[in-house]
Amino acid sequence: MTERKDDRLWGGRFEREPNAHFDAFQRSFAFDRRLLPYEIAVDRAWAKALEPIGIFSATEVKQTLAALDKIADRAKTDTAWVDSFGANAEDVHHFVEKALVEELGPLGWKLHTGRSRNELVATDFRLFVIDAAAEIHRALSSLLNALLQQAKTNVSVPMAGMTHMQHAQPILLSHFLLAHAESFLRDVTRLQHAAASADACPMGSGALAGNSFGIDRNAIARELGFSKITANSLDAVSDRDFALDYLFALTGIATHLSRLAEDFVIFASQEFAYVILPDEYSTGSSLMPQKKNPDSWELIRGKTGRITGALLGLLTTLKGLPTSYQRDLQEDKEALFAAHDQVADTLLVPSGAVSTTKFNAEKLRSKAANPALLATEAADYLVRKGIPFRQAHDLVGKLLKEAERLGRVWTELPLAELKNISPAFESDFAKVLNVDAALAAKKVPGGTAPDSVRKAISDLEERLNIKTTKLGATP
Ligand code: ARG
């Protein structure tokens, strides 16, 4: 029988040491050490709050704060110490307590008065999510800017808009780029939502029931930068919705990046040749000398799986857990950290890849000139001549079929032929049959008319400024 060692956070009622495999299995320091700066911030706030309720003297607060600062400084510069000293730490909470006891002797054991790791871990993790969301927002802002700049550069380049990957109606390339910007702006809103969801301080919730010493919860929340305290101690130690919200925001970003990537991969294919891939963001083939592959976009698209996996993983862990803290909740961190790191890493690539991509305006323009894209304009023309839309649709269908039968381009049929299909066709019909007229017609707000797109660009510039100051602004 192995004797108990007494530097654990628990063990008074135990007679034997844990099984070595189980002990290694249950420890979380290897990954929750990442929370150390937050743990120390929470410890500092807690130490201060222990004085007004008579647990700490003013000197003890001072000594504890000084020791915490020393630990924080050492941890920042001396990774080897964190590795070796942390080798026996169960988790980040244990690590700090052990280090405090090294510094202060038995005073180091006093800080944990009236509190639980259950509330600590929830608080640290919330603080992490708030910072993480701001970091990702900053990275997204540079992608949004790159899309905006390309939209400005290519403001009047037309392209063949598609639905079902079939030629549909002409649109502007700038309109297409702004469509992607919209989806990333929604991600910014989701990041803000995740940060708001994390913005409530659990400290004072204890293990599940609350605090018996009358600790000033609001003072702690304020000190840590939370705007409020959590409302229910039991919920506070159970709740990981903020982590789900953050993972959902990350999944949204990954999914939107994947769609952008897919568009660029297709555009880079020889069949489309809409873009010229930048050397800086492409790779070659070890076998085929001619190849330039869009690996940057393919990898961005490929990352989506693991980000979505992290969300599904946490949802699965949470499903079926009873209310209150359960050790299963320790499984919340690794995948979220990994998903955050992957998205942060991924976002270093697309803004550069977007900015350095050259659009093949000639090719885009020539595809936009496909007469098939103007069929809807022809139907709209007949509507303006008083024909109900369904009939107009049908007549244009007949016109297309007739041109096909004659082996002619339908937009070039003489008026006499058109009159055979409908007397409503007149000489002004020719005016609507061009890309510029089709684009200009879409002049509603949010439409692809050049005027609407120019307005959308200036609106986006304004919205980007607003969004950047709300969350994630560089201090
Ligand atoms: N390491 C744990 C976690 O990450 C926190 C400690 C709570 N442990 C406990 N036995 N109550 O969730």
Side-chain angles (χ1 to χ4, degrees):
M1 183 173 72
T2 333
E3 287 273 304
R4 281 195 51 239
K5 299 191 199 92
D6 56 9
D7 83 329
R8 288 185 189 280
L9 293 172
W10 43 269
R13 56 105 65 226
F14 285 76
E15 287 178 357
R16 294 180 302 281
E17 281 293 297
N19 168 280
H21 293 302
F22 165 62
D23 197 24
F25 174 71
Q26 61 102 24
R27 285 167 189 263
S28 53
F29 186 68
F31 52 89
D32 67 17
R33 59 190 279 177
R34 185 164 182 167
L35 296 175
L36 189 60
Y38 303 107
E39 175 79 5
I40 295 209
V42 178
D43 285 342
R44 289 182 55 89
W46 192 259
K48 290 181 196 168
L50 287 180
E51 193 194 340
I53 57 172
I55 304 287
F56 266 175
S57 68
T59 321
E60 286 174 327
V61 178
K62 249 193 176 160
Q63 288 172 319
T64 305
L65 293 180
L68 286 168
D69 286 346
K70 203 165 153 193
I71 296 165
D73 282 349
R74 183 156 188 199
K76 250 185 251 159
T77 51
D78 191 354
T79 330
W81 170 69
V82 181
D83 292 343
S84 62
F85 193 72
N88 298 318
E90 185 175 313
D91 53 26
V92 66
H93 324 290
H94 187 203
F95 176 86
V96 176
E97 183 169 304
K98 271 162 50 79
L100 268 183
V101 172
E102 277 250 308
E103 286 293 323
L104 302 172
L107 173 59
W109 283 318
K110 244 178 137 173
L111 181 67
H112 206 55
T113 306
R115 72 177 197 180
S116 158
R117 286 180 293 167
N118 302 351
E119 59 185 332
L120 274 173
V121 76
T123 309
D124 295 355
F125 203 28
R126 281 168 179 266
L127 289 169
F128 174 87
V129 164
I130 291 168
D131 280 356
E135 182 192 332
I136 298 297
H137 180 188
R138 281 193 292 275
L140 261 186
S141 297
S142 76
L143 173 57
L144 279 159
N145 264 313
L147 289 165
L148 177 69
Q149 291 317 318
Q150 281 286 23
K152 284 169 102 171
T153 310
N154 297 283
V155 67
S156 50
V157 177
M159 69 186 283
M162 293 187 289
T163 60
H164 312 266
M165 289 301 286
Q166 303 289 318
H167 278 195
Q169 291 183 300
I171 58 171
L172 288 176
L173 171 60
S174 47
H175 194 58
F176 166 88
L177 293 165
L178 293 181
H180 281 290
E182 284 304 317
S183 58
F184 293 115
L185 275 167
R186 283 193 293 281
D187 293 327
V188 169
T189 307
R190 283 180 186 168
L191 287 169
Q192 287 167 334
H193 174 73
S197 165
D199 179 18
C201 183
M203 292 311 292
S205 298
L208 76 162
N211 181 281
S212 323
F213 298 91
I215 197 109
D216 184 348
R217 294 192 61 204
N218 286 302
I220 296 170
R222 258 196 315 277
E223 163 111 16
L224 291 170
F226 287 105
S227 74
K228 57 181 177 299
I229 58 173
T230 51
N232 177 298
S233 61
L234 187 57
D235 177 56
V237 297
S238 320
D239 175 27
R240 292 295 182 275
D241 288 352
F242 61 93
L244 287 177
D245 286 339
Y246 185 52
L247 285 171
F248 186 63
L250 293 180
T251 305
I253 294 167
T255 307
H256 293 146
L257 281 173
S258 181
R259 190 171 63 179
L260 178 68
E262 174 67 359
D263 284 342
F264 272 77
V265 169
I266 292 173
F267 288 179
S269 69
Q270 281 70 30
E271 280 66 23
F272 274 76
Y274 282 0
V275 299
I276 298 145
L277 286 174
D279 280 5
E280 299 90 318
Y281 291 94
S282 311
T283 63
S285 157
S286 61
L287 191 145
M288 299 164 281
Q290 87 283 12
K291 289 299 268 337
K292 181 152 81 165
N293 295 324
D295 293 37
S296 51
W297 292 117
E298 291 171 290
L299 277 167
I300 289 170
R301 187 178 60 191
K303 295 284 179 194
T304 321
R306 46 172 131 186
I307 315 300
T308 312
L311 173 63
L312 289 181
L314 183 56
L315 279 167
T316 311
T317 297
L318 294 176
K319 190 226 166 279
L321 286 193
T323 310
S324 189
Y325 179 82
Q326 323 296 333
R327 191 63 182 275
D328 314 46
L329 293 171
Q330 183 168 296
E331 289 293 309
D332 58 1
K333 284 174 280 298
E334 270 171 298
L336 185 141
F337 290 157
H340 166 79
D341 291 342
Q342 286 294 330
V343 172
D345 247 25
T346 303
L347 281 171
L348 296 174
V349 180
S351 50
V354 165
S355 321
T356 51
T357 292
K358 286 217 167 47
F359 289 91
N360 185 347
E362 208 176 307
K363 187 69 188 258
L364 287 154
R365 217 180 287 281
S366 78
K367 290 287 177 184
N370 173 8
L373 293 159
L374 300 172
T376 315
E377 303 313 305
D380 288 352
Y381 170 86
L382 292 175
V383 165
R384 290 195 186 94
K385 300 285 174 186
I387 298 179
F389 179 74
R390 189 54 51 218
Q391 258 173 296
H393 184 288
D394 208 54
L395 289 168
V396 176
K398 290 206 167 71
L399 167 56
L400 294 173
K401 208 165 82 185
E402 178 61 7
E404 211 173 272
R405 196 183 63 80
L406 298 169
R408 307 272 304 269
V409 180
W410 71 272
T411 46
E412 288 166 11
L413 287 184
L415 189 56
E417 300 266 5
L418 298 176
K419 290 267 188 204
N420 284 339
I421 292 167
S422 166
F425 284 114
E426 289 173 44
S427 59
D428 60 351
F429 181 51
K431 270 195 254 156
V432 303
L433 291 186
N434 67 78
V435 176
D436 288 340
L439 289 169
K442 305 292 178 293
K443 57 176 183 284
V444 287
T448 197
D451 284 350
S452 301
V453 173
R454 262 186 275 273
K455 169 90 173 71
I457 286 175
S458 68
D459 284 354
L460 178 61
E461 276 174 332
E462 214 167 285
R463 287 157 75 200
L464 283 183
N465 288 337
I466 295 162
K467 296 271 182 194
T468 329
T469 44
K470 248 195 177 163
L471 169 91
T474 349

